[in-house]
Amino acid sequence: MHCHLDLYPRPHEVSQTCLQKNLYILSVTTTPSAWRGTKSLAGNNSRIRTALGLHPQVAHLRKNELEIFDELVSKTKYIGEVGLDGSKAFKPFWKDQLLVFRHILKTVNNSGGKIISIHSKGAAENVLAELRNTECLPILHWFTGSKKQLEKAIDMGCWFSVGPAMLKTKNGQSIVKKVPKSKILLETDGPFAKIGGAIIMPWNIDIAVTQLSETLNMPSTEVNSLISRNTKNLLWQNDRFNRSKK
Ligand code: MN
């Protein structure tokens, strides 16, 4: 539910291999201008869905692309990667981040709700506050917030996409144990995330299944069916959402 296919060194080869392996991918983007090209990586295959995004770490550089965002928003049911980043390096651009994120949430609200893959590093509190008035299906990707913030997010009905890089940490494991099982989704966050020093590939998602199986004390086959059930449920809710809005 969160992979940057377009940012791999050989994106065409990577996406072709994903299609050969029958992987389902939510292919997120970091700028609105990247959406069309990234979508073309999927060809006509519906296993790869392309989300429209504007990453908080580039908000100050790409805020002028909000116009493109608005033009494209009706063409997809998926938004991401969007959000806020409160870490030291990006806090100086907080005003722009907030402007971009608020604009996106408002646009999403007006367009009838979407699945949104959200970055909340060092900004979980603010992200949750902004989400309060938005009709959408939020997925908190690689969540690292506090216990209290996690509880709030769970209360708000958020989904959580978790991957190998998160699940190898003690904190990541403790978070996923607290999340309702019906809200757990998988992600790699490749090529940003690494595993064993190497860039993670979409087909390495098996690692997350093994980790979840160990952390949740559940056979891998059950993890697989849980994830498949959760993902279908999320997509079904999104379709219903869009229908009821029309
Ligand atoms: Mn990402």
Side-chain angles (χ1 to χ4, degrees), residues 2-4 28 30 55 81 119 141-142 187 189-190 192:
H2 186 109
C3 179
H4 300 264
V28 296
T30 52
H55 199 289
E81 180 168 358
H119 176 110
H141 118 81
W142 198 337
E187 68 167 41
D189 199 19
F192 290 116

Side-chain angles (χ1 to χ4, degrees), residues 49-85:
R49 313 267 171 104
T50 311
L52 177 63
L54 206 167
H55 199 289
Q57 295 178 351
V58 297
H60 57 297
L61 302 169
R62 301 298 187 119
K63 57 185 173 184
N64 59 320
E65 288 191 27
L66 282 174
E67 229 171 275
I68 307 175
F69 185 96
D70 293 353
E71 277 166 37
L72 295 173
V73 73
S74 63
K75 298 188 188 296
T76 179
K77 297 184 210 164
Y78 312 93
I79 303 298
E81 180 168 358
V82 297
L84 295 170
D85 191 311

Side-chain angles (χ1 to χ4, degrees), residues 2 8 15 50 59 63 113 130 164 178 182 225 230 242 245-246:
H2 186 109
Y8 279 95
S15 41
T50 311
K63 57 185 173 184
E130 295 303 323
K178 294 190 187 100
S182 63
S225 46
N230 290 353
N242 282 287
K245 282 281 168 184
K246 273 174 189 158

Side-chain angles (χ1 to χ4, degrees), residues 3-8 11 14-15 18 25 27-28 38 41 48 190-191 202:
C3 179
H4 300 264
L5 271 187
D6 61 338
L7 300 180
Y8 279 95
V14 174
S15 41
C18 291
I25 295 176
S27 165
V28 296
T38 305
L41 291 173
I48 300 180

